Amino acid sequence: MKVLVSFNFLFFICLLQKIVLSQDKLLLVIEHFRHGARGPLKNSYDYQQQTYMAGELTDVGIFQQYQLGSQIRAEYIQNRQFLRPYFNHTEILVYSTDVNRTIMSAYAHLTALYPPGTGYNISVTNQTLLQTPYQNAIYYPIAGGYALPYGMSVFPVHTLPQQGSILPHYCPNYNLLIQANIKQYGDFISNLNAVCNDLYQEVADMINEPINNLQDLMNFEDVMTADIYQQRKLPPQLTYDQINKINILRAISWFVYQTGPVAKALASNGFNFIIQQFKNKINNNSTLKYIVLSGHDSTLSRQILQLNMSNHECQWQRYLNKPSQSLNCVDSPRFGSTIIYELYQSAADPTQNYVMVKYNNQYVYLCEKQSTKCELQEFISRLQYSSGVYEDLCGIISDKNIIDDRETLIQFLAIITVILAIVTALLGYSLYKIKQQSKSQIQYLQEHQLQSPLYNQSDMSRYVELHNMQHNQQQINQPQQFQQQNQQEQQQYTEQGYTQA
Ligand SMILES: *[C@@H]1O[C@H](CO)[C@@H](O)[C@H](O)[C@H]1NC(C)=O
Ligand SMILES: *[C@@H]1O[C@H](CO)[C@@H](O)[C@H](O)[C@H]1NC(C)=O
Ligand SMILES: *[C@@H]1O[C@H](CO)[C@@H](O)[C@H](O)[C@H]1NC(C)=O
Ligand SMILES: *[C@@H]1O[C@H](CO)[C@@H](O)[C@H](O)[C@H]1NC(C)=O
Ligand SMILES: *[C@@H]1O[C@H](CO)[C@@H](O)[C@H](O)[C@H]1NC(C)=O
Ligand SMILES: *[C@@H]1O[C@H](CO)[C@@H](O)[C@H](O)[C@H]1NC(C)=O
Ligand SMILES: *[C@@H]1O[C@H](CO)[C@@H](O)[C@H](O)[C@H]1NC(C)=O
């Protein structure tokens, strides 16, 4: 009895502490989630029977995002009263990659935050103002004085380009960067393949497809997971234990292939954006309170890696049922997983700001300390990247890079001048030669009505056309060589150039 009382007392003290601490002011929330359940993307098992759903958000996926949005509503609107209970453009900013499933996920998510009944009311009384210029338009009454039926809201969801955005997935060097990781972690991967070979063979026998390595297994995993969420039939022999193992291997796969330069390349813009939003907020230069990024397991995994929230080593210990020394060891992003960044202002010292990050509603340790708080300045110093990191690592030559480098520009211009001079001289000479020759040829062709379109053009444009053809051929050849080298690997990691799933 006494124990129970003192326990309760302790609990009360903890609660009090929590309340005092929570007076720190929440300034900004940035949420980065993965879309909900989708159809499969990899060609394995029963993929061919459901190609019409490839990569598309399913009913369950929509439901999951509504559930996730409802959690956010409960916490940030109802409990903490941080956001208004209805949509206001001054406090919310929404970005999505330009993919159906992420755009739809964003809408389902926001629908939960601002459910029917919270939408705009009609504020005017003059009925004339409610009409459109459409001739003979029929009036559709809406009950309750709302702008939309049931007081629904609509949301501005901005889509992001594939190249250079805050969640980019265009990266010409992608396969090279992955290859570098495969090389660096070669021993780890071959040991893993050896240990897991029995599992590979068991699954291979069930689905009648070769499974020789982790990537092959991941192709099956993609379809298996999509099938599970659609209650499609799995291979009957597949056990719960095997599914569990495959899921841990999925985390290992994400965290070993995407670590280091890959994560840095493709997460740097996102972190620079987050840090810029934090800075704007503390500089009193932003009314925003909630920013949404609707992304993929790839975009989340890279942030997880850069934040040291997980790694392949600790996942491997998990697979082997062994303890791990890792500060954090979160799972790879399942459908509807979410990373939430919170920016706070200290109550004790309002000039002090700190960041907290939670993954699927669990705060993680930050900045290599056993603390869920990281001072904003330290967060910035660890995660702010110099501009151009994405372009440099991904091998994107931007106009900006060329102009920035004046020396290169001058050299470039000098070379161009020399080439132009040579070309002009050669052109002049060949023009003279061809004119002499073609006089007789044209006469002959005209007589026999056999003129080809090329002969109708001037010699100059003929030259340019031929030159362009050669040039284009060279441009096409280069990536082809590169692609052939990496074709096998590329198929493993990208879907028609997508680096996301
Ligand atoms: C949205 O927020 C702004 C700034 O706080 C406020 O002035 C405006 O009235 C709000 N709009 C609605 C529709 O609530
Ligand atoms: C989006 O949906 C359209 C229409 O169903 C489809 O044609 C397209 O392939 C989808 N694209 C992506 C990127 O999801
Ligand atoms: C619409 O009107 C209702 C009832 O007057 C009110 O409670 C609600 O806050 C209004 N909604 C908005 C978005 O202004
Ligand atoms: C309603 O709005 C229309 C269009 O602006 C205007 O012509 C009309 O006078 C208004 N009616 C009233 C009663 O204010
Ligand atoms: C921030 O700016 C608003 C106007 O934009 C002003 O009313 C407010 O006092 C400012 N707050 C601080 C702390 O500077
Ligand atoms: C304030 O925010 C705007 C829009 O985000 C940005 O363009 C501007 O540079 C910021 N100003 C300062 C002083 O940070
Ligand atoms: C993650 O850990 C590495 C050392 O392994 C460190 O250099 C880096 O700053 C850490 N990143 C964060 C965000 O704590």
Side-chain angles (χ1 to χ4, degrees):
M1 191 61 195
K2 221 173 178 177
V3 173
L4 204 70
V5 170
S6 59
F7 178 78
N8 274 342
F9 183 70
L10 265 176
F11 183 75
F12 178 73
I13 295 284
C14 285
L15 206 72
L16 208 69
Q17 224 172 16
K18 219 173 173 179
I19 287 164
V20 170
L21 279 175
S22 70
Q23 276 174 351
D24 287 351
K25 193 175 169 202
L26 181 57
L27 298 180
L28 179 63
V29 173
I30 301 180
E31 182 183 19
H32 177 191
F33 57 72
R34 185 189 182 198
H35 56 78
R38 57 152 168 77
L41 283 169
K42 296 289 164 74
N43 190 1
S44 178
Y45 188 48
D46 67 344
Y47 170 81
Q48 287 301 335
Q49 280 88 63
Q50 44 177 331
T51 50
Y52 60 95
M53 273 308 285
E56 297 298 325
L57 199 64
T58 64
D59 49 355
V60 173
I62 294 171
F63 189 87
Q64 285 180 313
Q65 279 298 338
Y66 184 83
Q67 294 305 316
L68 179 57
S70 300
Q71 313 307 310
I72 305 297
R73 174 178 170 78
E75 172 157 9
Y76 294 104
I77 294 180
Q78 290 166 332
N79 297 347
R80 296 169 79 164
Q81 304 197 338
F82 174 64
L83 299 171
R84 296 167 210 248
Y86 46 85
F87 173 81
N88 185 301
H89 67 275
T90 65
E91 60 184 28
I92 290 152
L93 179 60
V94 186
Y95 284 114
S96 172
T97 61
D98 195 1
V99 181
N100 294 343
R101 60 182 174 278
T102 45
I103 299 170
M104 289 168 70
S105 289
Y107 287 118
H109 194 87
L110 291 165
T111 300
L113 255 89
Y114 307 106
T118 65
Y120 282 177
N121 298 315
I122 293 294
S123 57
V124 301
T125 50
N126 183 338
Q127 292 294 307
T128 315
L129 301 174
L130 300 175
Q131 281 159 19
T132 59
Y134 199 85
Q135 288 295 304
N136 303 321
I138 299 162
Y139 182 68
Y140 290 94
I142 290 171
Y146 291 123
L148 285 175
Y150 314 111
M152 295 188 300
S153 293
V154 281
F155 310 102
V157 176
H158 300 264
T159 50
L160 297 165
Q162 296 186 14
Q163 181 174 339
S165 73
I166 54 180
L167 301 177
H169 69 198
Y170 173 75
C171 185
N173 280 352
Y174 186 67
N175 293 306
L176 289 176
L177 296 173
I178 297 275
Q179 288 307 315
N181 279 349
I182 290 175
K183 207 170 162 194
Q184 180 165 357
Y185 301 102
D187 291 346
F188 173 85
I189 294 169
S190 41
N191 175 50
L192 178 142
N193 281 332
V195 172
C196 298
N197 192 51
D198 287 350
L199 176 67
Y200 297 165
Q201 292 327 309
E202 285 157 23
V203 177
D205 289 346
M206 287 177 208
I207 63 172
N208 243 324
E209 288 167 34
I211 293 181
N212 296 317
N213 52 43
L214 187 55
Q215 296 105 59
D216 291 347
L217 186 71
M218 286 307 106
N219 289 345
F220 170 67
E221 183 279 332
D222 179 84
V223 184
M224 177 192 85
T225 303
D227 281 352
I228 287 172
Y229 280 93
Q230 294 181 85
Q231 265 181 44
R232 287 176 73 95
K233 208 165 141 279
L234 294 176
Q237 310 94 317
L238 192 66
T239 66
Y240 177 80
D241 180 57
Q242 285 168 329
I243 293 175
N244 208 20
K245 281 182 169 159
I246 292 170
N247 281 333
I248 300 174
L249 289 172
R250 174 182 194 271
I252 294 171
S253 162
W254 271 115
F255 297 147
V256 74
Y257 294 127
Q258 299 286 319
T259 196
V262 187
K264 189 173 167 185
L266 289 154
S268 55
N269 289 348
F271 281 119
N272 284 349
F273 169 81
I274 289 168
I275 285 166
Q276 187 57 51
Q277 293 299 330
F278 284 171
K279 284 181 175 172
N280 285 350
K281 196 70 201 179
I282 62 169
N283 291 332
N284 197 23
N285 184 31
S286 168
T287 57
L288 292 172
K289 292 179 112 180
Y290 177 57
I291 299 172
V292 179
L293 307 177
S294 182
H296 305 257
D297 44 7
S298 55
T299 60
L300 265 78
S301 290
R302 291 167 195 143
Q303 291 194 352
I304 286 171
L305 285 164
Q306 289 306 88
L307 284 160
N308 297 332
M309 276 160 63
S310 204
N311 57 70
H312 63 273
E313 295 282 0
C314 74
Q315 294 292 342
W316 183 232
Q317 297 308 310
R318 207 181 128 210
Y319 187 93
L320 301 172
N321 266 318
K322 287 186 183 161
S324 142
Q325 302 298 312
S326 201
L327 206 53
N328 302 298
C329 193
V330 305
D331 194 6
S332 61
R334 320 295 304 168
F335 296 135
S337 288
T338 189
I339 305 175
I340 294 176
Y341 298 85
E342 296 175 331
L343 173 68
Y344 286 91
Q345 181 180 46
S346 158
D349 178 0
T351 64
Q352 285 303 303
N353 296 96
Y354 61 87
V355 179
M356 295 178 84
V357 178
K358 56 183 167 174
Y359 180 62
N360 295 336
N361 204 26
Q362 198 82 47
Y363 284 105
V364 296
Y365 290 138
L366 291 177
C367 299
E368 296 184 277
K369 285 192 273 288
Q370 257 187 20
S371 165
T372 53
K373 293 176 188 172
C374 181
E375 293 297 322
L376 178 61
Q377 281 319 314
E378 183 169 0
F379 186 86
I380 291 174
S381 72
R382 284 171 187 266
L383 291 157
Q384 184 167 266
Y385 300 89
S386 49
S387 75
V389 163
Y390 160 73
E391 285 80 2
D392 288 347
L393 285 171
C394 283
I396 293 164
I397 301 149
S398 69
D399 300 348
K400 188 177 149 285
N401 284 357
I402 292 170
I403 291 162
D404 272 357
D405 201 339
R406 291 188 66 152
E407 217 157 291
T408 315
L409 185 67
I410 290 163
Q411 282 171 0
F412 179 74
L413 285 177
I415 292 166
I416 290 285
T417 312
V418 171
I419 289 172
L420 273 179
I422 294 168
V423 166
T424 313
L426 279 174
L427 204 68
Y429 179 72
S430 45
L431 214 84
Y432 169 75
K433 273 273 178 190
I434 289 166
K435 227 171 206 164
Q436 278 193 331
Q437 277 183 8
S438 62
K439 259 181 201 158
S440 54
Q441 275 182 358
I442 288 170
Q443 253 172 4
Y444 171 86
L445 287 166
Q446 274 172 348
E447 279 161 19
H448 295 82
Q449 294 185 326
L450 275 171
Q451 276 188 340
S452 85
L454 267 183
Y455 274 84
N456 271 333
Q457 294 162 9
S458 75
D459 290 311
M460 179 62 187
S461 62
R462 232 183 97 195
Y463 173 82
V464 170
E465 199 163 317
L466 282 171
H467 175 80
N468 283 346
M469 273 161 70
Q470 279 170 354
H471 185 70
N472 286 344
Q473 198 54 44
Q474 276 171 2
Q475 282 201 327
I476 291 164
N477 280 343
Q478 258 175 344
Q480 258 175 3
Q481 279 168 358
F482 170 77
Q483 266 170 5
Q484 270 159 10
Q485 252 175 21
N486 293 293
Q487 204 169 35
Q488 243 190 326
E489 291 296 337
Q490 179 155 14
Q491 275 168 358
Q492 315 263 29
Y493 299 106
T494 64
E495 281 291 327
Q496 296 154 5
Y498 285 82
T499 65
Q500 301 175 334

